[in-house]
Amino acid sequence: MPNTTGLEQEPSFVENEFKTLYTYTSVLATAKRFQNLLLMEKNTIPSLPNCGIGIKTKLFLFNDSTSIEAITREINDQISQYLPTTRIISVEIVPHKDKNGNKDKGLVIYLMIATEDTEARARKIAVTAIADSTSPYKETITSDIYL
């Protein structure tokens, strides 16, 4: 059954030369889709109440091996359900460290995915989710993608 969730493409808000919205493709598209799924809280999409990992609330829990295993399982489940065309080879989650090497309220999620390009190789994507202690708003996080 094809994926009809609306998550199969990742448009940007940047117009291309034909004055239509640019759509991300390849590995960057996969990374953007995963980042959106990672940041999205459950019940954000009314017709898909279980869609979303809601990593923001999980950053303020303990970063022990049990909670990291639970997050890893949830990531695998969410990807298989809402991004079924993404072929995951492995998921690795490590606590984020600040510039002094101390653990902070953040995670780095590494996805090893199989790509469909001409070289048919595996690509590693890193997505960060880090609590922003400098923000005046409570429980604000920043997220970046590294390819």
Side-chain angles (χ1 to χ4, degrees):
M1 182 172 171
N3 181 10
T4 58
T5 63
L7 296 174
E8 58 272 357
Q9 293 183 0
E10 192 54 45
S12 71
F13 293 106
V14 178
E15 291 182 342
N16 63 16
E17 60 272 11
F18 300 108
K19 300 297 182 193
T20 58
L21 292 181
Y22 176 78
T23 302
Y24 295 109
T25 57
S26 71
V27 177
L28 182 57
T30 300
K32 286 291 208 181
R33 285 191 295 268
F34 174 68
Q35 183 182 38
N36 288 342
L37 193 62
L38 185 70
L39 297 174
M40 188 185 321
E41 297 287 336
K42 292 190 185 311
N43 294 313
T44 300
I45 302 174
S47 61
L48 299 168
N50 292 322
C51 181
I53 296 167
I55 198 69
K56 180 170 95 171
T57 57
K58 293 168 178 53
L59 289 181
F60 297 94
L61 301 174
F62 295 109
N63 281 342
D64 60 358
S65 61
T66 305
S67 61
I68 288 179
E69 286 173 18
I71 294 169
T72 302
R73 279 192 306 277
E74 185 172 6
I75 286 171
N76 282 317
D77 292 345
Q78 289 280 316
I79 288 173
S80 66
Q81 186 170 2
Y82 298 108
L83 304 175
T85 58
T86 303
R87 295 186 306 157
I88 298 295
I89 297 169
S90 66
V91 176
E92 179 187 0
I93 300 176
V94 296
H96 183 266
K97 294 183 179 179
D98 64 14
K99 60 185 172 193
N100 297 324
N102 302 317
K103 289 184 185 178
D104 59 9
K105 295 281 186 191
L107 297 172
V108 180
I109 298 104
Y110 295 100
L111 293 180
M112 184 66 77
I113 61 167
T115 61
E116 298 286 336
D117 61 10
T118 56
E119 296 177 21
R121 60 181 181 206
R123 290 288 304 267
K124 194 172 203 175
I125 298 171
V127 178
T128 62
I130 303 164
D132 186 358
S133 60
T134 62
S135 173
Y137 304 102
K138 186 179 178 186
E139 297 183 358
T140 301
I141 64 168
T142 59
S143 181
D144 293 303
I145 296 173
Y146 301 94
L147 302 177

